[in-house]
Amino acid sequence: MLWLKPFELQLDAVFEEAKQKVAHFPKPLHELGLAYLDKFDIRQKHSTKNYVCYLLPFWIAETIQVHTAKAVSHPSSATVSSLHLQSLPELSHRMGVANIFCMLHFFIQDDLMDTPNLSTDQLHDLIPLSQLFWNEFVSICGENLGNNSSFWQYYKQFLAEWASAVYNEADADYLFEQPQQIASKVSPLKISLIAMLLQLDCMYMLPDLLQQLDQALIVLQMNDDLSDWQEDMIERNYNCLLAFIRYEAVEHHQALFSDKVTAVQVQQAIYDQEVIRRYAQYAQSSFTSDPSLFVSDSLIAFRNYLIEQLHEAATSIHEARNTLLQGSLLYFIQKDLTSS
């Protein structure tokens, strides 16, 4: 995986620094913080791998380097100064550390919103820990940008996008009506992108990079929702797969817009009607438009990998179903032979 392998050493370094920062949290929050970080540490075999959060700064640095190399033969093209190029490794490292803390903070926020029966002790632990994670993120992102009004404007914008997308998801069909809102649920991640581009004088790249990032985030959510549909159905969270199945049911006059799909309908759609194949095709046809100028090879590769994962899931389900059907047929044939 070219979007991961070249950056493994850098990832080890950012997680190690994040671990050292958490170790300096006030006692006993440092122990709670280290235990929480361990759940997402890429170096741990069974950790949750949220690649886009901590790889994004390295993908952006790679994109800037590639663009600068290409621009050498086009003197009129916007490019990056040699001084800024020298700062890329350190800057991408800092932003990688920052995004780990951003991820940790918002995972806690998700837990607080999605788990209504958290005990008082759990709330007592999670709320101050979340604030410490967020303080680290803001502190790192704000380095050298404390007086930059553009940075704080984007900061407010992306947090507002996140809040709106999370708050309104139960009342809207994001996948078909507002797919941008799916990406907006991860908008705080974009704060680090702004911090990098401002410090490198590369804001002219922002529209293309945001387009590619949003596409990857939408397809990532579609992948997650394929795994989480049962949990989301119980918790009444918006789920792209459930929305897709419901949309098809309406299109084929199998349901009214007010109807809710049931678990049985979802299982029938997945195992009998090959809905995952069409779900993957929808992701590929809807969220793979190319940027106009500044291409992040790693972001595109990551997005394409996620789409391929959807196609592979569809193929696996199809093959498993055929195997079961063949097994049933063989059973009846053997039964008939035995009884004859």
Side-chain angles (χ1 to χ4, degrees), residues 80-115:
V80 181
S81 70
S82 59
L83 182 62
H84 284 147
L85 281 177
Q86 292 172 10
S87 69
L88 265 178
E90 180 186 354
L91 181 57
S92 56
H93 171 85
R94 293 205 315 270
M95 292 301 106
V97 175
N99 276 356
I100 289 175
F101 287 111
C102 179
M103 171 188 68
L104 296 175
H105 168 77
F106 280 99
F107 266 106
I108 291 179
Q109 297 304 302
D110 287 344
D111 287 342
L112 294 175
M113 288 186 288
D114 295 340
T115 314

PDB file of all heavy atoms in Angstrom, residues 80-115:
ATOM      1  N   VAL A  80       7.015  26.284  -4.129  1.00  0.00           N
ATOM      2  CA  VAL A  80       7.339  26.411  -2.710  1.00  0.00           C
ATOM      3  C   VAL A  80       8.802  26.776  -2.581  1.00  0.00           C
ATOM      4  O   VAL A  80       9.666  26.231  -3.286  1.00  0.00           O
ATOM      5  CB  VAL A  80       7.045  25.082  -1.970  1.00  0.00           C
ATOM      6  CG1 VAL A  80       7.350  25.220  -0.493  1.00  0.00           C
ATOM      7  CG2 VAL A  80       5.596  24.679  -2.187  1.00  0.00           C
ATOM      8  N   SER A  81       9.096  27.683  -1.684  1.00  0.00           N
ATOM      9  CA  SER A  81      10.483  28.122  -1.503  1.00  0.00           C
ATOM     10  C   SER A  81      11.333  26.994  -0.931  1.00  0.00           C
ATOM     11  O   SER A  81      10.826  26.070  -0.296  1.00  0.00           O
ATOM     12  CB  SER A  81      10.529  29.328  -0.574  1.00  0.00           C
ATOM     13  OG  SER A  81      10.213  28.936   0.750  1.00  0.00           O
ATOM     14  N   SER A  82      12.641  27.083  -1.154  1.00  0.00           N
ATOM     15  CA  SER A  82      13.558  26.063  -0.631  1.00  0.00           C
ATOM     16  C   SER A  82      13.534  26.036   0.890  1.00  0.00           C
ATOM     17  O   SER A  82      13.671  24.980   1.514  1.00  0.00           O
ATOM     18  CB  SER A  82      14.976  26.326  -1.134  1.00  0.00           C
ATOM     19  OG  SER A  82      15.425  27.619  -0.740  1.00  0.00           O
ATOM     20  N   LEU A  83      13.324  27.205   1.508  1.00  0.00           N
ATOM     21  CA  LEU A  83      13.246  27.266   2.973  1.00  0.00           C
ATOM     22  C   LEU A  83      12.049  26.480   3.487  1.00  0.00           C
ATOM     23  O   LEU A  83      12.144  25.739   4.466  1.00  0.00           O
ATOM     24  CB  LEU A  83      13.162  28.725   3.437  1.00  0.00           C
ATOM     25  CG  LEU A  83      13.121  28.949   4.959  1.00  0.00           C
ATOM     26  CD1 LEU A  83      14.386  28.422   5.604  1.00  0.00           C
ATOM     27  CD2 LEU A  83      12.928  30.432   5.271  1.00  0.00           C
ATOM     28  N   HIS A  84      10.917  26.636   2.809  1.00  0.00           N
ATOM     29  CA  HIS A  84       9.725  25.903   3.205  1.00  0.00           C
ATOM     30  C   HIS A  84       9.891  24.407   2.964  1.00  0.00           C
ATOM     31  O   HIS A  84       9.414  23.583   3.755  1.00  0.00           O
ATOM     32  CB  HIS A  84       8.504  26.418   2.447  1.00  0.00           C
ATOM     33  CG  HIS A  84       8.000  27.731   2.963  1.00  0.00           C
ATOM     34  ND1 HIS A  84       7.416  28.679   2.145  1.00  0.00           N
ATOM     35  CD2 HIS A  84       8.006  28.260   4.205  1.00  0.00           C
ATOM     36  CE1 HIS A  84       7.071  29.729   2.873  1.00  0.00           C
ATOM     37  NE2 HIS A  84       7.421  29.496   4.115  1.00  0.00           N
ATOM     38  N   LEU A  85      10.557  24.052   1.878  1.00  0.00           N
ATOM     39  CA  LEU A  85      10.787  22.633   1.612  1.00  0.00           C
ATOM     40  C   LEU A  85      11.623  21.996   2.720  1.00  0.00           C
ATOM     41  O   LEU A  85      11.374  20.851   3.117  1.00  0.00           O
ATOM     42  CB  LEU A  85      11.490  22.455   0.264  1.00  0.00           C
ATOM     43  CG  LEU A  85      10.620  22.554  -0.998  1.00  0.00           C
ATOM     44  CD1 LEU A  85      11.487  22.428  -2.233  1.00  0.00           C
ATOM     45  CD2 LEU A  85       9.532  21.490  -0.990  1.00  0.00           C
ATOM     46  N   GLN A  86      12.596  22.733   3.220  1.00  0.00           N
ATOM     47  CA  GLN A  86      13.434  22.217   4.291  1.00  0.00           C
ATOM     48  C   GLN A  86      12.639  21.979   5.574  1.00  0.00           C
ATOM     49  O   GLN A  86      12.976  21.119   6.380  1.00  0.00           O
ATOM     50  CB  GLN A  86      14.587  23.187   4.561  1.00  0.00           C
ATOM     51  CG  GLN A  86      15.604  23.272   3.425  1.00  0.00           C
ATOM     52  CD  GLN A  86      16.632  24.374   3.646  1.00  0.00           C
ATOM     53  OE1 GLN A  86      16.708  24.955   4.735  1.00  0.00           O
ATOM     54  NE2 GLN A  86      17.405  24.679   2.614  1.00  0.00           N
ATOM     55  N   SER A  87      11.564  22.750   5.745  1.00  0.00           N
ATOM     56  CA  SER A  87      10.775  22.625   6.972  1.00  0.00           C
ATOM     57  C   SER A  87       9.708  21.542   6.878  1.00  0.00           C
ATOM     58  O   SER A  87       9.042  21.237   7.879  1.00  0.00           O
ATOM     59  CB  SER A  87      10.095  23.962   7.298  1.00  0.00           C
ATOM     60  OG  SER A  87       9.069  24.263   6.355  1.00  0.00           O
ATOM     61  N   LEU A  88       9.517  20.958   5.692  1.00  0.00           N
ATOM     62  CA  LEU A  88       8.442  19.988   5.496  1.00  0.00           C
ATOM     63  C   LEU A  88       8.513  18.785   6.441  1.00  0.00           C
ATOM     64  O   LEU A  88       7.487  18.413   7.033  1.00  0.00           O
ATOM     65  CB  LEU A  88       8.434  19.498   4.045  1.00  0.00           C
ATOM     66  CG  LEU A  88       7.481  20.210   3.076  1.00  0.00           C
ATOM     67  CD1 LEU A  88       7.629  19.629   1.681  1.00  0.00           C
ATOM     68  CD2 LEU A  88       6.039  20.077   3.538  1.00  0.00           C
ATOM     69  N   PRO A  89       9.659  18.137   6.618  1.00  0.00           N
ATOM     70  CA  PRO A  89       9.684  16.960   7.502  1.00  0.00           C
ATOM     71  C   PRO A  89       9.256  17.295   8.933  1.00  0.00           C
ATOM     72  O   PRO A  89       8.450  16.573   9.532  1.00  0.00           O
ATOM     73  CB  PRO A  89      11.149  16.504   7.441  1.00  0.00           C
ATOM     74  CG  PRO A  89      11.634  17.003   6.125  1.00  0.00           C
ATOM     75  CD  PRO A  89      10.959  18.322   5.925  1.00  0.00           C
ATOM     76  N   GLU A  90       9.770  18.397   9.466  1.00  0.00           N
ATOM     77  CA  GLU A  90       9.414  18.781  10.834  1.00  0.00           C
ATOM     78  C   GLU A  90       7.949  19.172  10.929  1.00  0.00           C
ATOM     79  O   GLU A  90       7.240  18.791  11.872  1.00  0.00           O
ATOM     80  CB  GLU A  90      10.284  19.943  11.312  1.00  0.00           C
ATOM     81  CG  GLU A  90       9.958  20.393  12.730  1.00  0.00           C
ATOM     82  CD  GLU A  90      10.727  21.628  13.149  1.00  0.00           C
ATOM     83  OE1 GLU A  90      11.608  22.066  12.372  1.00  0.00           O
ATOM     84  OE2 GLU A  90      10.451  22.161  14.241  1.00  0.00           O
ATOM     85  N   LEU A  91       7.469  19.929   9.933  1.00  0.00           N
ATOM     86  CA  LEU A  91       6.086  20.391   9.959  1.00  0.00           C
ATOM     87  C   LEU A  91       5.110  19.220   9.837  1.00  0.00           C
ATOM     88  O   LEU A  91       4.106  19.156  10.571  1.00  0.00           O
ATOM     89  CB  LEU A  91       5.846  21.380   8.821  1.00  0.00           C
ATOM     90  CG  LEU A  91       4.437  21.979   8.710  1.00  0.00           C
ATOM     91  CD1 LEU A  91       4.040  22.692   9.997  1.00  0.00           C
ATOM     92  CD2 LEU A  91       4.351  22.928   7.511  1.00  0.00           C
ATOM     93  N   SER A  92       5.366  18.297   8.927  1.00  0.00           N
ATOM     94  CA  SER A  92       4.460  17.153   8.771  1.00  0.00           C
ATOM     95  C   SER A  92       4.481  16.278  10.022  1.00  0.00           C
ATOM     96  O   SER A  92       3.449  15.723  10.415  1.00  0.00           O
ATOM     97  CB  SER A  92       4.840  16.332   7.535  1.00  0.00           C
ATOM     98  OG  SER A  92       6.184  15.897   7.584  1.00  0.00           O
ATOM     99  N   HIS A  93       5.647  16.178  10.677  1.00  0.00           N
ATOM    100  CA  HIS A  93       5.722  15.428  11.935  1.00  0.00           C
ATOM    101  C   HIS A  93       4.843  16.085  13.001  1.00  0.00           C
ATOM    102  O   HIS A  93       4.047  15.406  13.671  1.00  0.00           O
ATOM    103  CB  HIS A  93       7.173  15.351  12.415  1.00  0.00           C
ATOM    104  CG  HIS A  93       7.311  14.782  13.795  1.00  0.00           C
ATOM    105  ND1 HIS A  93       7.364  13.426  14.047  1.00  0.00           N
ATOM    106  CD2 HIS A  93       7.386  15.398  15.026  1.00  0.00           C
ATOM    107  CE1 HIS A  93       7.473  13.224  15.350  1.00  0.00           C
ATOM    108  NE2 HIS A  93       7.499  14.401  15.956  1.00  0.00           N
ATOM    109  N   ARG A  94       4.959  17.396  13.161  1.00  0.00           N
ATOM    110  CA  ARG A  94       4.163  18.102  14.173  1.00  0.00           C
ATOM    111  C   ARG A  94       2.675  17.954  13.906  1.00  0.00           C
ATOM    112  O   ARG A  94       1.880  17.728  14.816  1.00  0.00           O
ATOM    113  CB  ARG A  94       4.529  19.586  14.219  1.00  0.00           C
ATOM    114  CG  ARG A  94       5.922  19.886  14.726  1.00  0.00           C
ATOM    115  CD  ARG A  94       6.028  21.284  15.308  1.00  0.00           C
ATOM    116  NE  ARG A  94       5.385  22.310  14.490  1.00  0.00           N
ATOM    117  CZ  ARG A  94       5.992  22.992  13.514  1.00  0.00           C
ATOM    118  NH1 ARG A  94       7.262  22.742  13.224  1.00  0.00           N
ATOM    119  NH2 ARG A  94       5.343  23.924  12.831  1.00  0.00           N
ATOM    120  N   MET A  95       2.293  18.082  12.628  1.00  0.00           N
ATOM    121  CA  MET A  95       0.882  17.959  12.306  1.00  0.00           C
ATOM    122  C   MET A  95       0.377  16.520  12.464  1.00  0.00           C
ATOM    123  O   MET A  95      -0.783  16.294  12.780  1.00  0.00           O
ATOM    124  CB  MET A  95       0.620  18.446  10.879  1.00  0.00           C
ATOM    125  CG  MET A  95       0.802  19.942  10.678  1.00  0.00           C
ATOM    126  SD  MET A  95      -0.284  20.947  11.726  1.00  0.00           S
ATOM    127  CE  MET A  95       0.903  21.547  12.925  1.00  0.00           C
ATOM    128  N   GLY A  96       1.260  15.562  12.238  1.00  0.00           N
ATOM    129  CA  GLY A  96       0.892  14.169  12.484  1.00  0.00           C
ATOM    130  C   GLY A  96       0.594  13.932  13.954  1.00  0.00           C
ATOM    131  O   GLY A  96      -0.386  13.260  14.307  1.00  0.00           O
ATOM    132  N   VAL A  97       1.434  14.489  14.821  1.00  0.00           N
ATOM    133  CA  VAL A  97       1.189  14.398  16.268  1.00  0.00           C
ATOM    134  C   VAL A  97      -0.117  15.112  16.617  1.00  0.00           C
ATOM    135  O   VAL A  97      -0.949  14.607  17.380  1.00  0.00           O
ATOM    136  CB  VAL A  97       2.365  15.001  17.062  1.00  0.00           C
ATOM    137  CG1 VAL A  97       2.052  15.006  18.567  1.00  0.00           C
ATOM    138  CG2 VAL A  97       3.653  14.225  16.791  1.00  0.00           C
ATOM    139  N   ALA A  98      -0.303  16.298  16.058  1.00  0.00           N
ATOM    140  CA  ALA A  98      -1.520  17.068  16.334  1.00  0.00           C
ATOM    141  C   ALA A  98      -2.764  16.274  15.965  1.00  0.00           C
ATOM    142  O   ALA A  98      -3.745  16.238  16.727  1.00  0.00           O
ATOM    143  CB  ALA A  98      -1.481  18.388  15.560  1.00  0.00           C
ATOM    144  N   ASN A  99      -2.742  15.611  14.822  1.00  0.00           N
ATOM    145  CA  ASN A  99      -3.936  14.901  14.365  1.00  0.00           C
ATOM    146  C   ASN A  99      -4.239  13.670  15.208  1.00  0.00           C
ATOM    147  O   ASN A  99      -5.387  13.224  15.284  1.00  0.00           O
ATOM    148  CB  ASN A  99      -3.799  14.521  12.895  1.00  0.00           C
ATOM    149  CG  ASN A  99      -4.190  15.662  11.984  1.00  0.00           C
ATOM    150  OD1 ASN A  99      -4.630  16.715  12.435  1.00  0.00           O
ATOM    151  ND2 ASN A  99      -4.027  15.463  10.692  1.00  0.00           N
ATOM    152  N   ILE A 100      -3.230  13.103  15.833  1.00  0.00           N
ATOM    153  CA  ILE A 100      -3.499  12.020  16.782  1.00  0.00           C
ATOM    154  C   ILE A 100      -4.361  12.537  17.931  1.00  0.00           C
ATOM    155  O   ILE A 100      -5.353  11.913  18.329  1.00  0.00           O
ATOM    156  CB  ILE A 100      -2.183  11.420  17.324  1.00  0.00           C
ATOM    157  CG1 ILE A 100      -1.478  10.624  16.218  1.00  0.00           C
ATOM    158  CG2 ILE A 100      -2.453  10.514  18.530  1.00  0.00           C
ATOM    159  CD1 ILE A 100      -0.114  10.096  16.616  1.00  0.00           C
ATOM    160  N   PHE A 101      -4.015  13.718  18.441  1.00  0.00           N
ATOM    161  CA  PHE A 101      -4.793  14.286  19.545  1.00  0.00           C
ATOM    162  C   PHE A 101      -6.178  14.724  19.089  1.00  0.00           C
ATOM    163  O   PHE A 101      -7.154  14.604  19.840  1.00  0.00           O
ATOM    164  CB  PHE A 101      -4.029  15.447  20.177  1.00  0.00           C
ATOM    165  CG  PHE A 101      -2.854  15.008  20.993  1.00  0.00           C
ATOM    166  CD1 PHE A 101      -1.547  15.257  20.582  1.00  0.00           C
ATOM    167  CD2 PHE A 101      -3.041  14.314  22.173  1.00  0.00           C
ATOM    168  CE1 PHE A 101      -0.469  14.830  21.336  1.00  0.00           C
ATOM    169  CE2 PHE A 101      -1.966  13.876  22.940  1.00  0.00           C
ATOM    170  CZ  PHE A 101      -0.676  14.137  22.511  1.00  0.00           C
ATOM    171  N   CYS A 102      -6.277  15.207  17.862  1.00  0.00           N
ATOM    172  CA  CYS A 102      -7.582  15.543  17.302  1.00  0.00           C
ATOM    173  C   CYS A 102      -8.459  14.296  17.241  1.00  0.00           C
ATOM    174  O   CYS A 102      -9.633  14.316  17.651  1.00  0.00           O
ATOM    175  CB  CYS A 102      -7.407  16.148  15.913  1.00  0.00           C
ATOM    176  SG  CYS A 102      -8.945  16.606  15.073  1.00  0.00           S
ATOM    177  N   MET A 103      -7.906  13.215  16.749  1.00  0.00           N
ATOM    178  CA  MET A 103      -8.629  11.951  16.648  1.00  0.00           C
ATOM    179  C   MET A 103      -9.095  11.472  18.019  1.00  0.00           C
ATOM    180  O   MET A 103     -10.265  11.094  18.203  1.00  0.00           O
ATOM    181  CB  MET A 103      -7.726  10.900  16.005  1.00  0.00           C
ATOM    182  CG  MET A 103      -8.266   9.473  16.040  1.00  0.00           C
ATOM    183  SD  MET A 103      -7.039   8.266  15.478  1.00  0.00           S
ATOM    184  CE  MET A 103      -5.837   8.352  16.819  1.00  0.00           C
ATOM    185  N   LEU A 104      -8.208  11.506  19.000  1.00  0.00           N
ATOM    186  CA  LEU A 104      -8.548  11.027  20.338  1.00  0.00           C
ATOM    187  C   LEU A 104      -9.677  11.845  20.948  1.00  0.00           C
ATOM    188  O   LEU A 104     -10.606  11.308  21.559  1.00  0.00           O
ATOM    189  CB  LEU A 104      -7.314  11.074  21.239  1.00  0.00           C
ATOM    190  CG  LEU A 104      -6.146  10.165  20.843  1.00  0.00           C
ATOM    191  CD1 LEU A 104      -4.948  10.402  21.753  1.00  0.00           C
ATOM    192  CD2 LEU A 104      -6.566   8.700  20.884  1.00  0.00           C
ATOM    193  N   HIS A 105      -9.600  13.164  20.781  1.00  0.00           N
ATOM    194  CA  HIS A 105     -10.631  14.049  21.321  1.00  0.00           C
ATOM    195  C   HIS A 105     -11.993  13.719  20.710  1.00  0.00           C
ATOM    196  O   HIS A 105     -12.991  13.572  21.441  1.00  0.00           O
ATOM    197  CB  HIS A 105     -10.269  15.505  21.030  1.00  0.00           C
ATOM    198  CG  HIS A 105     -11.392  16.468  21.291  1.00  0.00           C
ATOM    199  ND1 HIS A 105     -11.757  16.871  22.552  1.00  0.00           N
ATOM    200  CD2 HIS A 105     -12.244  17.099  20.428  1.00  0.00           C
ATOM    201  CE1 HIS A 105     -12.783  17.720  22.476  1.00  0.00           C
ATOM    202  NE2 HIS A 105     -13.092  17.868  21.207  1.00  0.00           N
ATOM    203  N   PHE A 106     -12.056  13.567  19.400  1.00  0.00           N
ATOM    204  CA  PHE A 106     -13.355  13.384  18.761  1.00  0.00           C
ATOM    205  C   PHE A 106     -13.880  11.962  18.894  1.00  0.00           C
ATOM    206  O   PHE A 106     -15.099  11.748  18.837  1.00  0.00           O
ATOM    207  CB  PHE A 106     -13.310  13.845  17.308  1.00  0.00           C
ATOM    208  CG  PHE A 106     -13.436  15.336  17.189  1.00  0.00           C
ATOM    209  CD1 PHE A 106     -12.316  16.138  17.012  1.00  0.00           C
ATOM    210  CD2 PHE A 106     -14.671  15.954  17.317  1.00  0.00           C
ATOM    211  CE1 PHE A 106     -12.431  17.518  16.937  1.00  0.00           C
ATOM    212  CE2 PHE A 106     -14.796  17.333  17.249  1.00  0.00           C
ATOM    213  CZ  PHE A 106     -13.674  18.120  17.059  1.00  0.00           C
ATOM    214  N   PHE A 107     -13.018  11.008  19.122  1.00  0.00           N
ATOM    215  CA  PHE A 107     -13.523   9.683  19.460  1.00  0.00           C
ATOM    216  C   PHE A 107     -14.229   9.715  20.809  1.00  0.00           C
ATOM    217  O   PHE A 107     -15.254   9.046  21.006  1.00  0.00           O
ATOM    218  CB  PHE A 107     -12.393   8.648  19.458  1.00  0.00           C
ATOM    219  CG  PHE A 107     -12.257   7.920  18.157  1.00  0.00           C
ATOM    220  CD1 PHE A 107     -11.207   8.195  17.298  1.00  0.00           C
ATOM    221  CD2 PHE A 107     -13.180   6.955  17.778  1.00  0.00           C
ATOM    222  CE1 PHE A 107     -11.080   7.536  16.084  1.00  0.00           C
ATOM    223  CE2 PHE A 107     -13.068   6.289  16.567  1.00  0.00           C
ATOM    224  CZ  PHE A 107     -12.009   6.577  15.722  1.00  0.00           C
ATOM    225  N   ILE A 108     -13.686  10.482  21.729  1.00  0.00           N
ATOM    226  CA  ILE A 108     -14.370  10.624  23.019  1.00  0.00           C
ATOM    227  C   ILE A 108     -15.695  11.348  22.842  1.00  0.00           C
ATOM    228  O   ILE A 108     -16.713  10.974  23.440  1.00  0.00           O
ATOM    229  CB  ILE A 108     -13.468  11.365  24.035  1.00  0.00           C
ATOM    230  CG1 ILE A 108     -12.284  10.475  24.433  1.00  0.00           C
ATOM    231  CG2 ILE A 108     -14.267  11.755  25.282  1.00  0.00           C
ATOM    232  CD1 ILE A 108     -11.336  11.123  25.418  1.00  0.00           C
ATOM    233  N   GLN A 109     -15.709  12.394  22.020  1.00  0.00           N
ATOM    234  CA  GLN A 109     -16.963  13.100  21.765  1.00  0.00           C
ATOM    235  C   GLN A 109     -18.011  12.151  21.178  1.00  0.00           C
ATOM    236  O   GLN A 109     -19.190  12.208  21.550  1.00  0.00           O
ATOM    237  CB  GLN A 109     -16.722  14.277  20.809  1.00  0.00           C
ATOM    238  CG  GLN A 109     -15.787  15.343  21.343  1.00  0.00           C
ATOM    239  CD  GLN A 109     -16.239  15.909  22.676  1.00  0.00           C
ATOM    240  OE1 GLN A 109     -17.347  16.435  22.794  1.00  0.00           O
ATOM    241  NE2 GLN A 109     -15.398  15.789  23.682  1.00  0.00           N
ATOM    242  N   ASP A 110     -17.582  11.283  20.264  1.00  0.00           N
ATOM    243  CA  ASP A 110     -18.503  10.299  19.694  1.00  0.00           C
ATOM    244  C   ASP A 110     -19.044   9.369  20.781  1.00  0.00           C
ATOM    245  O   ASP A 110     -20.241   9.046  20.804  1.00  0.00           O
ATOM    246  CB  ASP A 110     -17.807   9.470  18.617  1.00  0.00           C
ATOM    247  CG  ASP A 110     -17.580  10.248  17.336  1.00  0.00           C
ATOM    248  OD1 ASP A 110     -18.212  11.307  17.164  1.00  0.00           O
ATOM    249  OD2 ASP A 110     -16.765   9.804  16.511  1.00  0.00           O
ATOM    250  N   ASP A 111     -18.157   8.930  21.670  1.00  0.00           N
ATOM    251  CA  ASP A 111     -18.596   8.060  22.769  1.00  0.00           C
ATOM    252  C   ASP A 111     -19.620   8.763  23.649  1.00  0.00           C
ATOM    253  O   ASP A 111     -20.614   8.164  24.071  1.00  0.00           O
ATOM    254  CB  ASP A 111     -17.391   7.629  23.621  1.00  0.00           C
ATOM    255  CG  ASP A 111     -16.516   6.601  22.930  1.00  0.00           C
ATOM    256  OD1 ASP A 111     -16.999   5.970  21.965  1.00  0.00           O
ATOM    257  OD2 ASP A 111     -15.358   6.427  23.347  1.00  0.00           O
ATOM    258  N   LEU A 112     -19.375  10.021  23.932  1.00  0.00           N
ATOM    259  CA  LEU A 112     -20.287  10.774  24.792  1.00  0.00           C
ATOM    260  C   LEU A 112     -21.660  10.930  24.140  1.00  0.00           C
ATOM    261  O   LEU A 112     -22.689  10.894  24.826  1.00  0.00           O
ATOM    262  CB  LEU A 112     -19.699  12.151  25.106  1.00  0.00           C
ATOM    263  CG  LEU A 112     -18.415  12.171  25.947  1.00  0.00           C
ATOM    264  CD1 LEU A 112     -17.886  13.597  26.085  1.00  0.00           C
ATOM    265  CD2 LEU A 112     -18.655  11.565  27.328  1.00  0.00           C
ATOM    266  N   MET A 113     -21.680  11.110  22.814  1.00  0.00           N
ATOM    267  CA  MET A 113     -22.957  11.288  22.114  1.00  0.00           C
ATOM    268  C   MET A 113     -23.674   9.966  21.858  1.00  0.00           C
ATOM    269  O   MET A 113     -24.908   9.916  21.891  1.00  0.00           O
ATOM    270  CB  MET A 113     -22.722  12.015  20.785  1.00  0.00           C
ATOM    271  CG  MET A 113     -22.382  13.485  20.936  1.00  0.00           C
ATOM    272  SD  MET A 113     -22.278  14.362  19.345  1.00  0.00           S
ATOM    273  CE  MET A 113     -20.749  13.693  18.690  1.00  0.00           C
ATOM    274  N   ASP A 114     -22.907   8.906  21.603  1.00  0.00           N
ATOM    275  CA  ASP A 114     -23.509   7.653  21.160  1.00  0.00           C
ATOM    276  C   ASP A 114     -23.777   6.660  22.285  1.00  0.00           C
ATOM    277  O   ASP A 114     -24.403   5.623  22.059  1.00  0.00           O
ATOM    278  CB  ASP A 114     -22.619   6.973  20.117  1.00  0.00           C
ATOM    279  CG  ASP A 114     -22.498   7.792  18.842  1.00  0.00           C
ATOM    280  OD1 ASP A 114     -23.371   8.654  18.616  1.00  0.00           O
ATOM    281  OD2 ASP A 114     -21.535   7.568  18.083  1.00  0.00           O
ATOM    282  N   THR A 115     -23.282   6.950  23.480  1.00  0.00           N
ATOM    283  CA  THR A 115     -23.435   6.013  24.602  1.00  0.00           C
ATOM    284  C   THR A 115     -24.208   6.697  25.715  1.00  0.00           C
ATOM    285  O   THR A 115     -23.616   7.333  26.602  1.00  0.00           O
ATOM    286  CB  THR A 115     -22.062   5.541  25.117  1.00  0.00           C
ATOM    287  OG1 THR A 115     -21.226   5.184  24.014  1.00  0.00           O
ATOM    288  CG2 THR A 115     -22.213   4.341  26.043  1.00  0.00           C
TER     289      THR A 115
END
